[in-house]
Amino acid sequence: MIKNEHQNCGVCQFAPLCIAQPDEKYKYFDSSLPIQRHISLHKGEVLFTPRTPFQSLYAIQSGSIKTTQIEDDGKEIIRNFYFTGDVFGYKALHQGMYLSTATALSESDVCEIDYRTFLSFLEKNHRLQEHAIYTACSHINATAYLHYNSAERRLAAFLLDLSNRLHPNFSKDVLYLPMSRQDIANYLKLTPETISRISTKYIQNKIIAVDKRKITLLHYERLREIAEKGRV
Amino acid sequence: MIKNEHQNCGVCQFAPLCIAQPDEKYKYFDSSLPIQRHISLHKGEVLFTPRTPFQSLYAIQSGSIKTTQIEDDGKEIIRNFYFTGDVFGYKALHQGMYLSTATALSESDVCEIDYRTFLSFLEKNHRLQEHAIYTACSHINATAYLHYNSAERRLAAFLLDLSNRLHPNFSKDVLYLPMSRQDIANYLKLTPETISRISTKYIQNKIIAVDKRKITLLHYERLREIAEKGRV
DNA sequence: CGCCGTATTGAGCGCTCTCAAGCTAGGTGG
DNA sequence: CCACCTAGCTTGAGAGCGCTCAATACGGCG
């Protein structure tokens, strides 16, 4: 199947910097960021592993990635989910090496951006260094809802977060989750059983509809109330 | 009392950028970051409040700051603690305005760095833009321990974190906490009662000693075990 | 001395976890 | 076609951690 390679570049955090950006509004820049290479990943394939020296940032052109770590007690913990348009690797930038494993949750296309090249690119494009710092800062506290005090709040906030991030070109009400319940539970510091029980409760209250990994948000406002108001 | 104004500048995240840095090793840079002004804050004084437009980053020369937000349910939540050498304001950078209230926990001296000045400074000092991005990235996941699954783990990790950050020029074993138990509880998503109960348990096991806000770490390794191993 | 804010201690409850069983969809082989 | 298996998900029962509510202790200060 032939697809438009640049169809999602408009939502990429690096769009203002990137050579692949076809939009006229970015044409005035001196030069454009050279993408080192495009990487295609099958579901389950690994992009990087812990202790690999940091060299590149990654932008997701399509698909979804999870980053995970193994705790001392042997359990896997999910650090983050990344979707179309997201740029990741900043934590490795600071540590000098990747500390987590990045695994494709679905068929994914990723742009690799060599960090040394990126820096010298910024030196030649002063107007873009601001955007680069801005992008790095967007990762701070992006997941404030993980601190919410109840399972109901965290799951509701997670669904709203996905609604905004998952399918930039599609409906915000119908989510096709690329990750398992186990992954969600892991990310929200809950158990799959708790996820399941709360989902059932939401379904009974006609807040969402669930068909396997297809989630339909039926009552957006109610979901927002649950996420924000805490224990009802 | 006369104090050395630059005594803590060596541990500042912005040391390589800053005019106040007296160390010879930084002398080779083209120019130095102009600090807009020094701000002295008394305990309880507020540096910025929510919805104020973002204009400056702040570096703590001495003292300690907490950033807080009011949740929809009216409760205050603590976003972060910042100590000597820390630079903060990056989240506001991304949002365009400060979203939290920054309050001094003790007598504090803060350097204000105008962000436009900062950017134009970076344009003239390419070698420092890397450090600027590096500093911004240091805020990502800096507080991973907040996600730990038990109260004992979180409190142990918090004490270890403070041990590294609180008194750069003093002992790592004796901590003088600038914040109340309420603040700690709030930050760790626990209650003051739980903090108190776990502290008592640690005292009984001779892991720490407590005298009001003076905490002595008696058994560093045991504390690390608790923080890392999870539910014992 | 009394007052007030902070910290500690105690009793009981509820949310979430653990452990276990049951369910569903999809795949394989007869 | 069905029987069987597996992985992922759901449902149920019981236990424990941390919360709520309340009482008490402590120190600073007028």
Side-chain angles (χ1 to χ4, degrees):
Chain A
M1 193 210 328
I2 296 175
K3 60 185 173 184
N4 177 359
E5 193 179 284
H6 299 316
Q7 68 178 353
N8 290 324
C9 288
V11 298
C12 180
Q13 290 180 336
F14 270 10
L17 289 66
C18 183
I19 197 170
Q21 175 53 243
D23 196 317
E24 278 294 329
K25 69 182 172 184
Y26 298 116
K27 284 282 172 62
Y28 60 83
F29 289 122
D30 307 347
S31 65
S32 289
L33 177 63
I35 298 296
Q36 192 176 25
R37 60 183 172 128
H38 292 271
I39 302 172
S40 285
L41 296 168
H42 295 297
K43 180 174 176 174
E45 271 193 287
V46 169
L47 181 61
F48 55 71
T49 52
R51 281 183 290 279
T52 308
F54 169 74
Q55 192 180 337
S56 304
L57 295 170
Y58 296 94
I60 301 188
Q61 202 165 41
S62 68
S64 45
I65 302 275
K66 69 172 176 181
T67 52
T68 59
Q69 275 178 301
I70 305 298
E71 286 262 286
D72 290 342
D73 56 10
K75 282 186 191 165
E76 179 182 273
I77 59 169
I78 306 238
R79 279 286 169 218
N80 255 310
F81 295 117
Y82 298 103
F83 308 115
T84 301
D86 290 339
V87 175
F88 63 101
Y90 284 102
K91 193 183 175 190
L93 187 162
H94 184 256
Q95 299 287 345
M97 60 184 177
Y98 301 99
L99 296 180
S100 57
T101 303
T103 309
L105 290 167
S106 49
E107 305 299 301
S108 302
D109 290 307
V110 174
C111 299
E112 184 175 49
I113 301 142
D114 178 74
Y115 187 60
R116 306 313 317 180
T117 310
F118 176 66
L119 282 179
S120 60
F121 170 80
L122 288 185
E123 286 184 17
K124 292 179 226 136
N125 299 272
H126 292 148
R127 308 176 67 168
L128 294 178
Q129 81 179 358
E130 184 172 354
H131 183 79
I133 294 176
Y134 175 88
T135 304
C137 288
S138 74
H139 287 248
I140 303 170
N141 281 335
T143 52
Y145 63 81
L146 290 180
H147 303 147
Y148 286 179
N149 53 12
S150 79
E152 285 198 31
R153 290 189 69 189
R154 293 213 287 282
L155 182 58
F158 177 73
L159 291 173
L160 293 170
D161 184 28
L162 284 189
S163 171
N164 281 321
R165 296 174 57 207
L166 203 49
H167 309 295
N169 300 325
F170 298 97
S171 165
K172 289 203 178 303
D173 296 331
V174 183
L175 316 177
Y176 292 89
L177 305 186
M179 73 291 284
S180 66
R181 300 285 193 277
Q182 180 63 256
D183 282 343
I184 297 173
N186 191 324
Y187 182 61
L188 298 177
K189 310 296 165 189
L190 297 170
T191 58
E193 293 93 327
T194 300
I195 300 290
S196 196
R197 273 185 259 271
I198 295 174
S199 296
T200 302
K201 200 168 161 186
Y202 287 171
I203 294 168
Q204 286 167 353
N205 293 345
K206 302 209 187 329
I207 297 170
I208 64 173
V210 175
D211 178 19
K212 297 164 204 166
R213 289 193 180 178
K214 175 186 173 188
I215 311 280
T216 308
L217 307 189
L218 300 174
H219 204 327
Y220 205 84
E221 277 312 309
R222 186 80 190 87
L223 212 50
R224 188 184 300 277
E225 276 174 33
I226 295 172
E228 292 181 355
K229 290 247 174 102
R231 291 171 189 173
V232 184
Chain B
M1 190 202 343
I2 295 175
K3 61 186 173 184
N4 176 1
E5 195 178 280
H6 300 318
Q7 67 178 355
N8 291 323
C9 288
V11 299
C12 180
Q13 291 180 336
F14 270 10
L17 289 67
C18 182
I19 197 170
Q21 177 51 242
D23 196 318
E24 278 294 329
K25 69 183 173 185
Y26 298 116
K27 286 279 170 65
Y28 60 82
F29 289 123
D30 308 348
S31 66
S32 289
L33 178 63
I35 299 296
Q36 193 176 24
R37 59 183 171 127
H38 292 271
I39 303 172
S40 284
L41 295 168
H42 294 296
K43 180 175 176 173
E45 271 194 286
V46 168
L47 181 62
F48 56 71
T49 53
R51 282 183 290 278
T52 309
F54 169 75
Q55 193 180 335
S56 305
L57 294 170
Y58 296 95
I60 301 189
Q61 203 167 38
S62 69
S64 46
I65 302 275
K66 69 172 177 182
T67 53
T68 59
Q69 274 178 302
I70 305 297
E71 287 263 284
D72 290 342
D73 56 11
K75 283 186 194 166
E76 178 181 274
I77 58 168
I78 306 239
R79 279 285 171 222
N80 255 311
F81 296 117
Y82 298 103
F83 308 115
T84 301
D86 290 339
V87 175
F88 62 101
Y90 285 102
K91 193 183 175 188
L93 187 163
H94 184 256
Q95 300 287 344
M97 60 184 175
Y98 302 98
L99 297 180
S100 57
T101 303
T103 309
L105 291 166
S106 49
E107 306 299 301
S108 302
D109 289 307
V110 174
C111 299
E112 184 176 47
I113 303 143
D114 178 74
Y115 188 59
R116 307 313 316 179
T117 309
F118 176 66
L119 282 178
S120 59
F121 170 80
L122 288 185
E123 285 184 18
K124 292 180 226 134
N125 299 271
H126 292 149
R127 308 175 66 169
L128 293 179
Q129 81 179 356
E130 183 172 354
H131 183 81
I133 294 176
Y134 175 88
T135 304
C137 288
S138 74
H139 287 249
I140 303 169
N141 281 334
T143 54
Y145 64 81
L146 290 179
H147 302 147
Y148 287 179
N149 54 12
S150 79
E152 286 199 32
R153 290 190 70 189
R154 294 212 287 283
L155 182 57
F158 178 72
L159 291 175
L160 292 171
D161 184 28
L162 285 189
S163 171
N164 280 321
R165 296 174 58 208
L166 202 48
H167 310 295
N169 300 326
F170 298 98
S171 165
K172 289 203 178 304
D173 295 333
V174 182
L175 317 176
Y176 292 88
L177 305 186
M179 73 291 282
S180 67
R181 301 285 193 275
Q182 179 62 257
D183 282 343
I184 297 173
N186 191 324
Y187 182 61
L188 298 178
K189 311 298 167 189
L190 296 169
T191 58
E193 293 93 327
T194 299
I195 300 290
S196 198
R197 272 184 260 273
I198 296 174
S199 297
T200 301
K201 200 169 161 185
Y202 287 171
I203 294 168
Q204 286 167 353
N205 294 344
K206 304 209 185 330
I207 298 169
I208 64 172
V210 175
D211 176 20
K212 296 162 202 168
R213 289 193 181 178
K214 175 187 173 188
I215 311 279
T216 308
L217 307 189
L218 300 174
H219 204 327
Y220 205 84
E221 276 313 310
R222 186 79 191 87
L223 212 49
R224 189 185 298 278
E225 276 175 32
I226 296 171
E228 291 181 355
K229 291 247 175 102
R231 289 171 190 174
V232 184

